[in-house]
Amino acid sequence: MRKLKLDELNRASVTEFKAQEKLPVAVILDNVRSMHNVGSIFRTCDGFAVDQVCLCGITGQPPHREIEKTALGATQSVKWHYYADPLKAVAQLRKEGYTIIAIEQAEKSIMLNEFEAEAGKKYALIFGNEVNGVSDEVMKTIDHCIEIPQFGTKHSFNVVVSAGIVLWDLFNKIIVHGS
């Protein structure tokens, strides 16, 4: 088996990417402190053609050297907004018709494998701070909470890993299988 070269991948240009249909998902980063995590999430959102990213609170904003180190240019392709208060991001996305979902371990959470994405719906996924998770204030405003099943000794995944798992799952359910 031969690995493909970069020029064989037929990747969209930034202009083509901005014009193409997007996964009906917004990602909200609620006080994510690591710039490398922010950049990696931008890159993941580019990979799944996510509609937009909302950076909130202490979450770093482009342009920033540490974000760009892992984003590899995805801050240029993915639409993003900054909100000092994550509650304002939630309110804005709710006004735009998004269903608000925290990715968190909580009472009455729905396991990711049991979550059924509905065709034609838009989803805003909230990923929280690396230590404290999604803030209590934001948790009071959500429509649903999704939890990623885990079977090891640790109690959480890194926020970037969580974003990759959940975005792949929704991409698979919405785009690949057309839920």
Side-chain angles (χ1 to χ4, degrees), residues 40-54:
S40 293
I41 290 172
F42 263 101
R43 189 169 166 192
T44 302
C45 288
D46 176 276
F48 290 116
V50 165
D51 182 54
Q52 62 182 296
V53 174
C54 299

Side-chain angles (χ1 to χ4, degrees), residues 24-30 90 93-94 98-104 106 108-112 115-118 121-128 134 138-139 141-148 166-167 169-170 173-174:
V25 170
V27 168
I28 301 172
L29 300 183
D30 179 9
V90 169
L93 291 171
R94 189 178 303 284
Y98 285 84
T99 298
I100 310 300
I101 302 173
I103 310 305
E104 188 59 83
K108 300 180 183 171
S109 61
I110 303 164
M111 289 297 158
L112 178 60
F115 178 74
E116 294 184 26
E118 295 178 42
K121 271 192 134 173
K122 299 192 298 187
Y123 297 99
L125 307 176
I126 307 167
F127 296 93
V134 176
V138 171
M139 288 296 289
T141 70
I142 63 173
D143 299 312
H144 304 287
C145 183
I146 290 177
E147 184 174 338
I148 302 168
V166 175
L167 288 170
D169 185 75
L170 285 184
K173 288 173 178 171
I174 295 168

Side-chain angles (χ1 to χ4, degrees), residues 25-76:
V25 170
V27 168
I28 301 172
L29 300 183
D30 179 9
N31 290 295
V32 172
R33 64 182 181 181
S34 164
M35 302 285 189
H36 293 130
N37 284 344
V38 173
S40 293
I41 290 172
F42 263 101
R43 189 169 166 192
T44 302
C45 288
D46 176 276
F48 290 116
V50 165
D51 182 54
Q52 62 182 296
V53 174
C54 299
L55 308 170
C56 303
I58 66 165
T59 305
Q61 304 165 57
H64 192 284
R65 177 177 55 85
E66 289 181 32
I67 292 173
E68 293 306 327
K69 182 176 183 176
T70 52
L72 298 179
T75 58
Q76 305 301 310

